[in-house]
Amino acid sequence: MSIALTRLGYEPGTRLLVVHADDVGMCHATLPAIRDLFSVGVVTCAATMVPCPWFPAVAQYCREHPEADMGVHLTLNCEWSTYRWRPVSTADPASGLLDEEGYMPQSPARIQADASQDAVAHELSAQLGRALAAGIDVTHLDSHMGTVFHPRFARAYISLALDHELPPFLAAQTPEWIRSNPGFDVDLMLQIYEEALAAGVIPFDNLAMLPLDDPEDRVEQAKRAIADLPEGLSLMIIHPAIATPELETIAPDWQARVADYEAFTSDELASFVESEDVRLIGYRDLRDALRRQKSAAKE
């Protein structure tokens, strides 16, 4: 039996789907995209990148639309070559959070190898703090390019989420993934995973991400992924943006991002989702369940 279905109060065999938009605020092209996607209703939640230039506009949108299910896409690296951002908590190169040019390093591996654990914990807390101070009703935490899913940072990530009674992204496949990484402290990572489950974190049973290197027939790609979903709680990750010169200049994969936007605002895909035996939920549902469990534990 799925831990997620049990903790969310659903019957065995239920197919739950969270459709999540990543990278909101990375550039302006993501803003009209998320406004349109939330109005259509197939996309149920999203996460914003606090260090990025368009974060204030995301915060403004969330203040004007408090129903928006918006998390924080904790960001420790900047993968682009000509469009960069910096940490929000420090300008000290000794932190390991900056490269030689004073921006976040492009590679997650460099952060994982070189960054101070204390500096990372402080940066993650600062990003969440900035989002909360900006008036966002933060519903969850996850990680840009998976950088925090590393033995040196994972506990700080989980602890930050639980200290604020927010669900962190966690997958039921995590133990298998941990064991497949020979450089990991496997015992430590498994302990962190088990502690998160014991604290009430709800893991996703299934994960799906539409590929950023194959933008063709996006509606059909999404249909196949949704039709193939097994029972349990599934997470589908997309990276939507509208077509703009800015996006085309920043991102070599811009066509896939535009394809995500166009597919998930299409009537065809919306009708298909309605015809499937799939129940759409968001991260706010996971946050509510986590907070109910923590409240009950205090009684």
Side-chain angles (χ1 to χ4, degrees):
M1 174 65 179
S2 160
I3 293 173
L5 293 182
T6 300
R7 292 184 176 177
L8 292 168
Y10 288 93
E11 294 295 320
T14 304
R15 296 197 299 163
L16 300 177
L17 176 60
V18 173
V19 182
H20 188 274
D22 273 10
D23 296 356
V24 178
M26 185 270 286
C27 61
H28 180 267
T30 64
L31 298 174
I34 198 61
R35 292 189 192 105
D36 291 348
L37 288 159
F38 275 158
S39 69
V40 171
V42 176
V43 170
T44 59
C45 53
T48 184
M49 300 173 72
V50 174
C52 295
W54 284 93
F55 166 73
V58 179
Q60 180 179 343
Y61 170 81
C62 290
R63 290 193 299 271
E64 294 171 353
H65 299 84
E67 74 283 358
D69 191 329
M70 185 70 68
V72 172
H73 200 49
L74 294 166
T75 301
L76 295 174
N77 69 291
C78 175
E79 67 271 34
W80 310 118
S81 59
T82 59
Y83 175 70
R84 312 295 302 280
W85 48 78
R86 307 174 193 270
V88 304
S89 65
T90 185
D92 182 3
S95 67
L97 295 175
L98 298 95
D99 65 9
E100 293 78 9
E101 296 178 324
Y103 299 102
M104 285 184 171
Q106 289 180 273
S107 166
R110 179 168 173 180
I111 285 283
Q112 292 166 343
D114 298 342
S116 157
Q117 288 178 276
D118 288 343
V120 166
H122 186 53
E123 176 67 17
L124 301 182
S125 180
Q127 291 182 22
L128 174 57
R130 182 168 291 188
L132 293 169
I136 299 178
D137 179 25
V138 176
T139 58
H140 63 285
L141 300 181
D142 58 26
S143 173
H144 184 54
M145 298 180 70
T147 308
V148 303
F149 303 127
H150 187 275
R152 300 183 65 237
F153 310 140
R155 177 157 277 143
Y157 161 64
I158 298 293
S159 296
L160 178 65
L162 293 177
D163 286 348
H164 290 82
E165 297 187 338
L166 298 172
F169 164 76
L170 199 67
Q173 299 89 342
T174 298
E176 300 169 18
W177 175 74
I178 291 169
R179 295 187 184 98
S180 72
N181 283 272
F184 277 12
D185 183 333
V186 172
D187 290 340
L188 173 63
M189 289 293 284
L190 291 175
Q191 180 183 352
I192 293 170
Y193 175 78
E194 292 299 333
E195 289 172 354
L197 293 188
V201 174
I202 297 173
F204 287 93
D205 296 300
N206 313 290
L207 304 176
M209 187 174 83
L210 298 185
L212 285 168
D213 60 354
D214 181 15
E216 300 301 320
D217 298 320
R218 206 56 155 187
V219 170
E220 292 305 316
Q221 289 183 28
K223 284 182 177 180
R224 288 194 296 270
I226 292 168
D228 291 342
L229 292 175
E231 70 172 284
L233 177 64
S234 297
L235 175 68
M236 175 172 283
I237 299 172
I238 64 172
H239 298 82
I242 66 168
T244 67
E246 175 204 36
L247 179 70
E248 294 176 24
T249 301
I250 292 169
D253 56 16
W254 67 269
Q255 290 172 307
R257 294 172 184 266
V258 174
D260 278 348
Y261 166 72
E262 292 175 346
F264 282 82
T265 53
S266 70
D267 292 338
E268 181 181 355
L269 185 58
S271 297
F272 177 80
V273 172
E274 287 183 7
S275 71
E276 285 288 301
D277 185 22
V278 172
R279 183 179 181 118
L280 294 174
I281 66 170
Y283 257 109
R284 184 172 273 114
D285 298 276
L286 275 64
R287 187 186 69 176
D288 290 348
L290 174 65
R291 291 181 174 180
R292 283 194 302 268
Q293 178 167 322
K294 293 179 79 70
S295 178
K298 294 175 184 177
E299 294 177 356

